[in-house]
Amino acid sequence: MALAAVSSCGVFSAISGSSLATAASMARVALPEMRKHGYSASLATGTLAAGGTLGIMIPPSIALLLYALITEQSVDQMFIAAISPGLLGLLLYCVAIALTVLIKPDLAQPGEPTTIRQKVSGLKGIVPFGMIFAVIIGGIYGGIFTPTEASAFGAAGAFIIAVFRGMRWAGFRAAIEETLLLPSMICFMIIGAEIFGYFLSVSRISFSLAELVVSLDLGPYAVLLAVLALYMLLGCVMDSIAMLLLTVPVVFPVIAQAGFDPVWFGIVTVIAVEMGLITPPVGMNVFVIKSVAPDVPIGAIFKGVFPFVLSDIARLALLIAFPGLALAML
């Protein structure tokens, strides 16, 4: 069930493009079922908090779009380069779940066995998601419409599918209310993070840290590791969007001068920023899950995301060692 939940997060994030929206939406659907079937609170909430971070990498991605705008890179190339690292992240998250349950079997109860026919039959439910994903990504890559226009097509497609699946006025009204309530909660969290980020900007802490990295006169990979360490440090106290807005204009020239590919660096940067969404003390996804499950201690959620942080570190190491994982499809 945990594997299904994190995989569903990957599918949903391919449509929404937002980590916070993915975490909040999937937590409302999957968390009650996981806890009802005997999952520990830490594993259930940690899986969903980490699974939500896939929304920042699997295209279409708001963070990748923002990076492309700041650095004047092609949005299409950023999205294409993100596909393999995004799928790699999903795979490593599944490995993290499997190893966690293997080491501590009491964290989850075994589910009911199913036949191959039942598994294949269950895939029918994701066909509509696949259709919407194909329209969004195919339209962007084919130059039919912009990412903003693609979101409108995605919303329209989701509405049409819901109507054909039996949604009527009561369901439509409930969907609108839920849509208004959920982003309102998320927006207030982002507003607080942005205000905090602004105060950090005024204090010039982020600029001072970036200037310190430049002044050390290090080699290319030493500069890269220092920048990634900077992002992981800032991720503990800042929102991902605020981090990109404040630091990319400062560190990008340094990275370009070091000879790194700008598209590849964008992927690595977004993964590092993604880790900030689940690291203490200000992991935004963790607080989103906390708002959905107020009875779960915040410490238990951070404990649950620890294996996923390790898998993200492994993904960063693989991308640094093998840049082709991101650039091969360009």
Short mmCIF file of all heavy atoms in Angstrom, two decimals, residues 41-111:
data_model
loop_
_atom_site.label_atom_id
_atom_site.label_comp_id
_atom_site.label_asym_id
_atom_site.label_seq_id
_atom_site.Cartn_x
_atom_site.Cartn_y
_atom_site.Cartn_z
N ALA A 41 2.13 5.39 12.06
CA ALA A 41 1.89 6.78 11.67
C ALA A 41 3.12 7.37 10.99
O ALA A 41 3.01 8.13 10.03
CB ALA A 41 1.51 7.60 12.90
N SER A 42 4.31 7.01 11.46
CA SER A 42 5.53 7.60 10.90
C SER A 42 5.75 7.15 9.46
O SER A 42 6.08 7.96 8.58
CB SER A 42 6.74 7.22 11.76
OG SER A 42 6.94 5.82 11.77
N LEU A 43 5.57 5.85 9.17
CA LEU A 43 5.77 5.35 7.82
C LEU A 43 4.71 5.90 6.87
O LEU A 43 5.03 6.32 5.75
CB LEU A 43 5.74 3.82 7.79
CG LEU A 43 5.88 3.18 6.40
CD1 LEU A 43 7.19 3.58 5.74
CD2 LEU A 43 5.78 1.65 6.50
N ALA A 44 3.46 5.92 7.31
CA ALA A 44 2.37 6.39 6.45
C ALA A 44 2.54 7.87 6.10
O ALA A 44 2.49 8.26 4.93
CB ALA A 44 1.02 6.16 7.13
N THR A 45 2.76 8.70 7.11
CA THR A 45 2.90 10.14 6.86
C THR A 45 4.21 10.45 6.16
O THR A 45 4.27 11.33 5.28
CB THR A 45 2.82 10.93 8.18
OG1 THR A 45 3.80 10.42 9.11
CG2 THR A 45 1.43 10.80 8.80
N GLY A 46 5.29 9.75 6.52
CA GLY A 46 6.58 9.98 5.88
C GLY A 46 6.54 9.63 4.40
O GLY A 46 7.11 10.35 3.56
N THR A 47 5.86 8.55 4.06
CA THR A 47 5.73 8.15 2.66
C THR A 47 5.02 9.22 1.85
O THR A 47 5.45 9.57 0.74
CB THR A 47 4.96 6.82 2.55
OG1 THR A 47 5.71 5.79 3.19
CG2 THR A 47 4.72 6.44 1.10
N LEU A 48 3.94 9.76 2.39
CA LEU A 48 3.16 10.75 1.65
C LEU A 48 3.86 12.10 1.59
O LEU A 48 3.78 12.80 0.58
CB LEU A 48 1.77 10.88 2.29
CG LEU A 48 0.91 9.61 2.17
CD1 LEU A 48 -0.32 9.72 3.05
CD2 LEU A 48 0.52 9.38 0.72
N ALA A 49 4.55 12.47 2.68
CA ALA A 49 5.30 13.73 2.65
C ALA A 49 6.41 13.67 1.62
O ALA A 49 6.62 14.62 0.84
CB ALA A 49 5.88 14.02 4.04
N ALA A 50 7.14 12.55 1.58
CA ALA A 50 8.21 12.39 0.60
C ALA A 50 7.65 12.22 -0.81
O ALA A 50 8.18 12.79 -1.77
CB ALA A 50 9.07 11.19 0.98
N GLY A 51 6.58 11.44 -0.94
CA GLY A 51 5.98 11.25 -2.26
C GLY A 51 5.52 12.56 -2.87
O GLY A 51 5.59 12.74 -4.09
N GLY A 52 5.08 13.47 -2.03
CA GLY A 52 4.66 14.78 -2.52
C GLY A 52 5.77 15.55 -3.19
O GLY A 52 5.54 16.37 -4.09
N THR A 53 7.02 15.33 -2.75
CA THR A 53 8.14 16.07 -3.33
C THR A 53 8.38 15.69 -4.79
O THR A 53 9.08 16.42 -5.50
CB THR A 53 9.44 15.83 -2.54
OG1 THR A 53 9.81 14.44 -2.62
CG2 THR A 53 9.27 16.20 -1.08
N LEU A 54 7.82 14.58 -5.24
CA LEU A 54 7.97 14.21 -6.65
C LEU A 54 7.33 15.26 -7.56
O LEU A 54 7.69 15.38 -8.73
CB LEU A 54 7.35 12.84 -6.91
CG LEU A 54 8.03 11.66 -6.20
CD1 LEU A 54 7.18 10.41 -6.32
CD2 LEU A 54 9.41 11.42 -6.77
N GLY A 55 6.39 16.03 -7.01
CA GLY A 55 5.71 17.05 -7.80
C GLY A 55 6.62 18.16 -8.26
O GLY A 55 6.32 18.86 -9.22
N ILE A 56 7.74 18.35 -7.56
CA ILE A 56 8.66 19.43 -7.93
C ILE A 56 9.62 19.01 -9.03
O ILE A 56 10.29 19.84 -9.64
CB ILE A 56 9.45 19.90 -6.69
CG1 ILE A 56 9.92 21.35 -6.85
CG2 ILE A 56 10.65 19.01 -6.42
CD1 ILE A 56 10.54 21.93 -5.60
N MET A 57 9.68 17.71 -9.33
CA MET A 57 10.63 17.21 -10.33
C MET A 57 9.93 16.66 -11.57
O MET A 57 10.27 17.01 -12.70
CB MET A 57 11.52 16.13 -9.71
CG MET A 57 12.48 15.46 -10.70
SD MET A 57 13.53 16.62 -11.61
CE MET A 57 14.52 17.26 -10.27
N ILE A 58 8.95 15.77 -11.39
CA ILE A 58 8.28 15.17 -12.55
C ILE A 58 7.52 16.24 -13.31
O ILE A 58 6.68 16.93 -12.73
CB ILE A 58 7.34 14.03 -12.11
CG1 ILE A 58 8.15 12.90 -11.46
CG2 ILE A 58 6.56 13.49 -13.31
CD1 ILE A 58 7.32 11.76 -10.96
N PRO A 59 7.81 16.45 -14.60
CA PRO A 59 7.16 17.53 -15.35
C PRO A 59 5.68 17.25 -15.57
O PRO A 59 5.28 16.10 -15.65
CB PRO A 59 7.93 17.54 -16.67
CG PRO A 59 8.52 16.18 -16.80
CD PRO A 59 8.79 15.70 -15.41
N PRO A 60 4.89 18.35 -15.66
CA PRO A 60 5.28 19.74 -15.57
C PRO A 60 5.56 20.17 -14.13
O PRO A 60 4.83 19.78 -13.23
CB PRO A 60 4.07 20.49 -16.13
CG PRO A 60 2.91 19.59 -15.84
CD PRO A 60 3.43 18.18 -15.95
N SER A 61 6.61 20.98 -13.94
CA SER A 61 7.04 21.36 -12.60
C SER A 61 7.15 22.86 -12.49
O SER A 61 7.77 23.52 -13.34
CB SER A 61 8.40 20.71 -12.30
OG SER A 61 9.02 21.33 -11.20
N ILE A 62 6.55 23.41 -11.42
CA ILE A 62 6.62 24.85 -11.20
C ILE A 62 8.06 25.28 -10.93
O ILE A 62 8.51 26.31 -11.44
CB ILE A 62 5.71 25.23 -10.01
CG1 ILE A 62 4.25 24.93 -10.35
CG2 ILE A 62 5.88 26.71 -9.66
CD1 ILE A 62 3.31 25.09 -9.18
N ALA A 63 8.80 24.48 -10.16
CA ALA A 63 10.18 24.83 -9.83
C ALA A 63 11.07 24.84 -11.07
O ALA A 63 11.90 25.74 -11.25
CB ALA A 63 10.73 23.87 -8.78
N LEU A 64 10.92 23.83 -11.94
CA LEU A 64 11.70 23.78 -13.17
C LEU A 64 11.36 24.95 -14.08
O LEU A 64 12.24 25.54 -14.74
CB LEU A 64 11.46 22.46 -13.90
CG LEU A 64 12.04 21.20 -13.25
CD1 LEU A 64 11.55 19.97 -13.97
CD2 LEU A 64 13.56 21.24 -13.25
N LEU A 65 10.08 25.29 -14.15
CA LEU A 65 9.65 26.44 -14.95
C LEU A 65 10.28 27.72 -14.43
O LEU A 65 10.77 28.56 -15.21
CB LEU A 65 8.12 26.53 -14.92
CG LEU A 65 7.48 27.71 -15.64
CD1 LEU A 65 7.79 27.66 -17.13
CD2 LEU A 65 5.98 27.73 -15.41
N LEU A 66 10.27 27.88 -13.11
CA LEU A 66 10.85 29.07 -12.50
C LEU A 66 12.35 29.15 -12.75
O LEU A 66 12.88 30.22 -13.11
CB LEU A 66 10.58 29.07 -10.99
CG LEU A 66 11.01 30.30 -10.20
CD1 LEU A 66 10.30 31.53 -10.73
CD2 LEU A 66 10.71 30.11 -8.73
N TYR A 67 13.05 28.02 -12.61
CA TYR A 67 14.49 28.00 -12.88
C TYR A 67 14.77 28.37 -14.33
O TYR A 67 15.71 29.14 -14.62
CB TYR A 67 15.06 26.61 -12.57
CG TYR A 67 16.52 26.45 -12.95
CD1 TYR A 67 17.52 26.79 -12.05
CD2 TYR A 67 16.89 25.97 -14.21
CE1 TYR A 67 18.86 26.66 -12.40
CE2 TYR A 67 18.21 25.84 -14.56
CZ TYR A 67 19.20 26.18 -13.65
OH TYR A 67 20.53 26.06 -14.01
N ALA A 68 13.98 27.84 -15.26
CA ALA A 68 14.17 28.13 -16.67
C ALA A 68 13.98 29.62 -16.95
O ALA A 68 14.72 30.21 -17.74
CB ALA A 68 13.20 27.31 -17.52
N LEU A 69 13.00 30.24 -16.30
CA LEU A 69 12.76 31.67 -16.50
C LEU A 69 13.90 32.50 -15.94
O LEU A 69 14.34 33.48 -16.56
CB LEU A 69 11.43 32.06 -15.85
CG LEU A 69 10.16 31.47 -16.46
CD1 LEU A 69 8.95 31.85 -15.64
CD2 LEU A 69 10.00 31.94 -17.91
N ILE A 70 14.39 32.13 -14.77
CA ILE A 70 15.47 32.90 -14.13
C ILE A 70 16.76 32.82 -14.94
O ILE A 70 17.46 33.83 -15.12
CB ILE A 70 15.71 32.40 -12.70
CG1 ILE A 70 14.49 32.66 -11.81
CG2 ILE A 70 16.94 33.10 -12.08
CD1 ILE A 70 14.59 32.05 -10.43
N THR A 71 17.07 31.62 -15.44
CA THR A 71 18.36 31.41 -16.12
C THR A 71 18.24 31.48 -17.64
O THR A 71 19.22 31.25 -18.35
CB THR A 71 18.94 30.04 -15.73
OG1 THR A 71 18.03 29.01 -16.12
CG2 THR A 71 19.18 29.97 -14.23
N GLU A 72 17.02 31.77 -18.16
CA GLU A 72 16.78 31.88 -19.60
C GLU A 72 17.11 30.58 -20.34
O GLU A 72 17.71 30.58 -21.42
CB GLU A 72 17.58 33.06 -20.19
CG GLU A 72 17.20 34.40 -19.59
CD GLU A 72 17.96 35.55 -20.21
OE1 GLU A 72 18.86 35.29 -21.04
OE2 GLU A 72 17.66 36.71 -19.87
N GLN A 73 16.70 29.47 -19.76
CA GLN A 73 16.84 28.17 -20.40
C GLN A 73 15.52 27.76 -21.05
O GLN A 73 14.46 28.32 -20.75
CB GLN A 73 17.27 27.11 -19.38
CG GLN A 73 18.57 27.40 -18.67
CD GLN A 73 19.74 27.51 -19.61
OE1 GLN A 73 19.94 26.66 -20.46
NE2 GLN A 73 20.53 28.58 -19.46
N SER A 74 15.57 26.78 -21.93
CA SER A 74 14.37 26.29 -22.59
C SER A 74 13.52 25.48 -21.61
O SER A 74 14.02 24.54 -20.97
CB SER A 74 14.75 25.41 -23.78
OG SER A 74 13.64 24.68 -24.25
N VAL A 75 12.25 25.86 -21.47
CA VAL A 75 11.35 25.12 -20.58
C VAL A 75 11.19 23.69 -21.07
O VAL A 75 11.17 22.73 -20.29
CB VAL A 75 9.99 25.83 -20.49
CG1 VAL A 75 9.01 24.99 -19.66
CG2 VAL A 75 10.13 27.21 -19.89
N ASP A 76 11.07 23.52 -22.40
CA ASP A 76 10.92 22.18 -22.97
C ASP A 76 12.11 21.29 -22.61
O ASP A 76 11.94 20.13 -22.21
CB ASP A 76 10.79 22.27 -24.48
CG ASP A 76 9.48 22.92 -24.91
OD1 ASP A 76 8.67 23.20 -24.02
OD2 ASP A 76 9.29 23.13 -26.11
N GLN A 77 13.33 21.83 -22.74
CA GLN A 77 14.52 21.04 -22.42
C GLN A 77 14.58 20.70 -20.93
O GLN A 77 14.98 19.59 -20.56
CB GLN A 77 15.78 21.80 -22.83
CG GLN A 77 16.03 21.81 -24.32
CD GLN A 77 17.45 22.23 -24.67
OE1 GLN A 77 18.17 22.77 -23.84
NE2 GLN A 77 17.85 21.96 -25.90
N MET A 78 14.18 21.64 -20.09
CA MET A 78 14.18 21.37 -18.64
C MET A 78 13.21 20.23 -18.32
O MET A 78 13.53 19.33 -17.54
CB MET A 78 13.78 22.62 -17.87
CG MET A 78 14.79 23.77 -17.90
SD MET A 78 16.41 23.33 -17.24
CE MET A 78 15.99 22.73 -15.61
N PHE A 79 12.04 20.26 -18.93
CA PHE A 79 11.05 19.22 -18.67
C PHE A 79 11.51 17.86 -19.19
O PHE A 79 11.32 16.84 -18.54
CB PHE A 79 9.71 19.61 -19.31
CG PHE A 79 8.93 20.64 -18.53
CD1 PHE A 79 9.43 21.17 -17.36
CD2 PHE A 79 7.69 21.07 -18.97
CE1 PHE A 79 8.71 22.13 -16.63
CE2 PHE A 79 6.96 22.01 -18.25
CZ PHE A 79 7.47 22.54 -17.08
N ILE A 80 12.12 17.84 -20.39
CA ILE A 80 12.60 16.58 -20.94
C ILE A 80 13.71 16.00 -20.06
O ILE A 80 13.74 14.80 -19.76
CB ILE A 80 13.10 16.79 -22.38
CG1 ILE A 80 11.93 17.13 -23.30
CG2 ILE A 80 13.81 15.53 -22.90
CD1 ILE A 80 12.34 17.55 -24.70
N ALA A 81 14.64 16.87 -19.64
CA ALA A 81 15.76 16.43 -18.81
C ALA A 81 15.30 15.91 -17.45
O ALA A 81 15.99 15.11 -16.82
CB ALA A 81 16.76 17.57 -18.61
N ALA A 82 14.13 16.35 -16.99
CA ALA A 82 13.65 15.98 -15.66
C ALA A 82 12.96 14.62 -15.64
O ALA A 82 12.75 14.06 -14.54
CB ALA A 82 12.69 17.04 -15.14
N ILE A 83 12.61 14.07 -16.79
CA ILE A 83 11.83 12.83 -16.81
C ILE A 83 12.59 11.68 -16.15
O ILE A 83 12.09 11.01 -15.23
CB ILE A 83 11.43 12.47 -18.26
CG1 ILE A 83 10.44 13.49 -18.81
CG2 ILE A 83 10.82 11.07 -18.30
CD1 ILE A 83 10.07 13.27 -20.26
N SER A 84 13.84 11.41 -16.60
CA SER A 84 14.62 10.30 -16.05
C SER A 84 14.93 10.49 -14.57
O SER A 84 14.71 9.56 -13.77
CB SER A 84 15.90 10.10 -16.86
OG SER A 84 15.61 9.69 -18.17
N PRO A 85 15.42 11.67 -14.13
CA PRO A 85 15.65 11.86 -12.69
C PRO A 85 14.37 11.75 -11.86
O PRO A 85 14.41 11.26 -10.73
CB PRO A 85 16.23 13.27 -12.61
CG PRO A 85 16.85 13.51 -13.95
CD PRO A 85 15.95 12.80 -14.90
N GLY A 86 13.24 12.19 -12.43
CA GLY A 86 11.98 12.07 -11.71
C GLY A 86 11.57 10.62 -11.51
O GLY A 86 11.17 10.21 -10.41
N LEU A 87 11.69 9.83 -12.57
CA LEU A 87 11.37 8.40 -12.47
C LEU A 87 12.38 7.68 -11.57
O LEU A 87 12.02 6.74 -10.84
CB LEU A 87 11.35 7.77 -13.86
CG LEU A 87 10.24 8.27 -14.80
CD1 LEU A 87 10.39 7.64 -16.18
CD2 LEU A 87 8.87 7.97 -14.21
N LEU A 88 13.64 8.10 -11.62
CA LEU A 88 14.66 7.53 -10.74
C LEU A 88 14.31 7.80 -9.28
O LEU A 88 14.46 6.92 -8.42
CB LEU A 88 16.03 8.11 -11.08
CG LEU A 88 17.20 7.65 -10.19
CD1 LEU A 88 17.41 6.14 -10.29
CD2 LEU A 88 18.48 8.40 -10.56
N GLY A 89 13.84 9.02 -9.00
CA GLY A 89 13.43 9.35 -7.64
C GLY A 89 12.29 8.47 -7.17
O GLY A 89 12.28 7.98 -6.03
N LEU A 90 11.32 8.22 -8.05
CA LEU A 90 10.19 7.34 -7.71
C LEU A 90 10.69 5.93 -7.42
O LEU A 90 10.26 5.29 -6.45
CB LEU A 90 9.19 7.34 -8.86
CG LEU A 90 7.99 6.40 -8.74
CD1 LEU A 90 7.18 6.71 -7.49
CD2 LEU A 90 7.10 6.51 -9.98
N LEU A 91 11.61 5.44 -8.25
CA LEU A 91 12.16 4.10 -8.05
C LEU A 91 12.91 4.00 -6.72
O LEU A 91 12.73 3.04 -5.95
CB LEU A 91 13.09 3.75 -9.21
CG LEU A 91 13.85 2.42 -9.09
CD1 LEU A 91 12.88 1.25 -9.06
CD2 LEU A 91 14.84 2.26 -10.25
N LEU A 92 13.73 5.01 -6.41
CA LEU A 92 14.50 4.98 -5.17
C LEU A 92 13.60 5.11 -3.95
O LEU A 92 13.89 4.54 -2.89
CB LEU A 92 15.55 6.10 -5.18
CG LEU A 92 16.71 5.91 -6.17
CD1 LEU A 92 17.63 7.12 -6.14
CD2 LEU A 92 17.48 4.63 -5.85
N TYR A 93 12.51 5.84 -4.07
CA TYR A 93 11.54 5.92 -2.97
C TYR A 93 10.91 4.55 -2.71
O TYR A 93 10.69 4.16 -1.55
CB TYR A 93 10.45 6.95 -3.29
CG TYR A 93 10.84 8.38 -3.02
CD1 TYR A 93 12.14 8.71 -2.62
CD2 TYR A 93 9.93 9.42 -3.16
CE1 TYR A 93 12.50 10.02 -2.38
CE2 TYR A 93 10.29 10.73 -2.91
CZ TYR A 93 11.57 11.03 -2.54
OH TYR A 93 11.92 12.34 -2.29
N CYS A 94 10.61 3.83 -3.79
CA CYS A 94 10.05 2.48 -3.63
C CYS A 94 11.07 1.56 -2.95
O CYS A 94 10.71 0.74 -2.09
CB CYS A 94 9.65 1.92 -4.99
SG CYS A 94 8.21 2.72 -5.73
N VAL A 95 12.34 1.70 -3.33
CA VAL A 95 13.40 0.91 -2.70
C VAL A 95 13.50 1.27 -1.21
O VAL A 95 13.66 0.38 -0.35
CB VAL A 95 14.75 1.14 -3.40
CG1 VAL A 95 15.89 0.49 -2.63
CG2 VAL A 95 14.70 0.60 -4.82
N ALA A 96 13.40 2.56 -0.90
CA ALA A 96 13.48 3.00 0.50
C ALA A 96 12.35 2.39 1.33
O ALA A 96 12.55 1.95 2.47
CB ALA A 96 13.42 4.53 0.58
N ILE A 97 11.14 2.34 0.76
CA ILE A 97 10.00 1.74 1.47
C ILE A 97 10.25 0.25 1.69
O ILE A 97 10.04 -0.28 2.80
CB ILE A 97 8.70 1.95 0.67
CG1 ILE A 97 8.32 3.43 0.66
CG2 ILE A 97 7.56 1.13 1.27
CD1 ILE A 97 7.20 3.76 -0.29
N ALA A 98 10.69 -0.44 0.64
CA ALA A 98 10.91 -1.89 0.74
C ALA A 98 11.97 -2.21 1.78
O ALA A 98 11.80 -3.12 2.61
CB ALA A 98 11.33 -2.44 -0.62
N LEU A 99 13.06 -1.47 1.80
CA LEU A 99 14.13 -1.71 2.78
C LEU A 99 13.68 -1.37 4.19
O LEU A 99 14.02 -2.08 5.15
CB LEU A 99 15.37 -0.89 2.41
CG LEU A 99 16.12 -1.32 1.14
CD1 LEU A 99 17.28 -0.39 0.86
CD2 LEU A 99 16.60 -2.76 1.26
N THR A 100 12.91 -0.28 4.34
CA THR A 100 12.42 0.10 5.67
C THR A 100 11.54 -0.98 6.26
O THR A 100 11.68 -1.36 7.43
CB THR A 100 11.64 1.43 5.58
OG1 THR A 100 12.51 2.45 5.09
CG2 THR A 100 11.11 1.83 6.95
N VAL A 101 10.62 -1.50 5.45
CA VAL A 101 9.70 -2.54 5.94
C VAL A 101 10.45 -3.86 6.15
O VAL A 101 10.11 -4.65 7.05
CB VAL A 101 8.52 -2.71 4.96
CG1 VAL A 101 7.62 -3.85 5.41
CG2 VAL A 101 7.73 -1.43 4.86
N LEU A 102 11.47 -4.10 5.33
CA LEU A 102 12.27 -5.32 5.50
C LEU A 102 13.03 -5.29 6.82
O LEU A 102 13.11 -6.30 7.53
CB LEU A 102 13.25 -5.46 4.33
CG LEU A 102 14.12 -6.72 4.32
CD1 LEU A 102 13.26 -7.96 4.13
CD2 LEU A 102 15.18 -6.64 3.22
N ILE A 103 13.56 -4.12 7.17
CA ILE A 103 14.32 -3.98 8.42
C ILE A 103 13.39 -3.96 9.63
O ILE A 103 13.68 -4.57 10.66
CB ILE A 103 15.17 -2.70 8.37
CG1 ILE A 103 16.24 -2.81 7.27
CG2 ILE A 103 15.85 -2.44 9.72
CD1 ILE A 103 16.98 -1.51 7.00
N LYS A 104 12.23 -3.27 9.49
CA LYS A 104 11.28 -3.16 10.59
C LYS A 104 9.89 -3.59 10.10
O LYS A 104 9.05 -2.75 9.76
CB LYS A 104 11.23 -1.73 11.13
CG LYS A 104 12.53 -1.27 11.79
CD LYS A 104 12.37 0.12 12.39
CE LYS A 104 13.64 0.56 13.11
NZ LYS A 104 13.49 1.92 13.71
N PRO A 105 9.64 -4.90 10.08
CA PRO A 105 8.36 -5.40 9.55
C PRO A 105 7.14 -4.92 10.32
O PRO A 105 6.03 -4.91 9.78
CB PRO A 105 8.51 -6.93 9.66
CG PRO A 105 9.98 -7.17 9.77
CD PRO A 105 10.54 -5.99 10.49
N ASP A 106 7.33 -4.54 11.60
CA ASP A 106 6.18 -4.12 12.40
C ASP A 106 5.62 -2.76 11.99
O ASP A 106 4.55 -2.36 12.46
CB ASP A 106 6.57 -4.08 13.89
CG ASP A 106 7.73 -3.12 14.15
OD1 ASP A 106 8.71 -3.16 13.38
OD2 ASP A 106 7.65 -2.33 15.11
N LEU A 107 6.31 -2.04 11.10
CA LEU A 107 5.83 -0.73 10.67
C LEU A 107 4.62 -0.84 9.74
O LEU A 107 3.89 0.12 9.57
CB LEU A 107 6.95 0.04 9.95
CG LEU A 107 8.15 0.46 10.81
CD1 LEU A 107 9.18 1.19 9.95
CD2 LEU A 107 7.70 1.35 11.97
N ALA A 108 4.42 -2.00 9.12
CA ALA A 108 3.30 -2.18 8.20
C ALA A 108 2.81 -3.61 8.25
O ALA A 108 3.59 -4.53 8.46
CB ALA A 108 3.72 -1.81 6.78
N GLN A 109 1.52 -3.76 8.07
CA GLN A 109 0.93 -5.09 8.04
C GLN A 109 0.84 -5.58 6.60
O GLN A 109 0.59 -4.79 5.68
CB GLN A 109 -0.47 -5.05 8.66
CG GLN A 109 -0.49 -4.61 10.11
CD GLN A 109 0.32 -5.54 10.99
OE1 GLN A 109 0.28 -6.75 10.85
NE2 GLN A 109 1.08 -4.95 11.92
N PRO A 110 1.04 -6.88 6.35
CA PRO A 110 0.93 -7.40 4.97
C PRO A 110 -0.49 -7.26 4.45
O PRO A 110 -1.46 -7.46 5.19
CB PRO A 110 1.34 -8.87 5.11
CG PRO A 110 1.11 -9.20 6.55
CD PRO A 110 1.38 -7.93 7.31
N GLY A 111 -0.61 -6.91 3.18
CA GLY A 111 -1.92 -6.75 2.57
C GLY A 111 -2.45 -8.07 2.03
O GLY A 111 -1.77 -9.09 2.03
#
